[in-house]
Amino acid sequence: MKASIGIALSLALSVALAGCGKQSEAPKADEKAAAAANDAGTMAMPAETKHGKGTATVTAIDTAKGQVTLDHSAIVELEWPPMTMGFAAKPDLLKDIKVGDKVAFELDWDGKAGTITKLDKAP
Ligand SMILES: [Cu+2]
């Protein structure tokens, strides 16, 4: 019982890792899913949304597109190492933030893209 939960958990974590930032090696299951998705038009594979939080330095902001690039520290909830990557963010969250700011943030990760749900200047 415990072993199978552990295996399921590590599988879920490797999927999350594979989706984060890099797209070098797609697992075979993903290729099949992609082929199936092509057959079904624009249907995407359902993915569980995960929530994570961390700290970062802002490296770029695009309020028009609603995007922010963060040089973030490790995010334990998503098993992510530190890296720089872009996230979607509502313009409202970005209005008091500028490049170079240290921030504390929370995000939703759907397996492919991250959306910032909370963004505050770090004290
Ligand atoms: Cu990342």
Side-chain angles (χ1 to χ4, degrees):
M1 193 64 160
K2 274 191 177 167
S4 59
I5 290 168
I7 288 164
L9 198 62
S10 55
L11 276 175
L13 292 177
S14 44
V15 167
L17 269 181
C20 186
K22 299 164 211 154
Q23 303 211 330
S24 48
E25 291 173 51
K28 282 191 177 144
D30 275 7
E31 289 173 13
K32 278 184 196 164
N38 281 341
D39 288 345
T42 57
M43 276 258 288
M45 203 167 64
E48 189 191 345
T49 298
K50 294 171 191 288
H51 192 75
K53 57 187 136 186
T55 56
T57 302
V58 178
T59 62
I61 299 174
D62 189 331
T63 39
K65 283 186 184 166
Q67 283 189 318
V68 61
T69 306
L70 300 178
D71 180 0
H72 69 73
S73 57
I75 299 177
V76 288
E77 293 87 349
L78 304 177
E79 289 278 310
W80 284 3
M83 73 181 82
T84 301
M85 63 190 291
F87 297 97
K90 291 210 172 88
D92 211 40
L93 288 171
L94 301 173
K95 65 185 181 198
D96 294 327
I97 303 293
K98 61 183 192 304
V99 170
D101 279 351
K102 300 244 188 293
V103 293
F105 69 101
E106 296 187 20
L107 77 151
D108 285 333
W109 175 254
D110 69 3
K112 288 189 178 124
T115 302
I116 301 292
T117 58
K118 198 166 189 286
L119 187 65
D120 295 303
K121 269 190 218 186

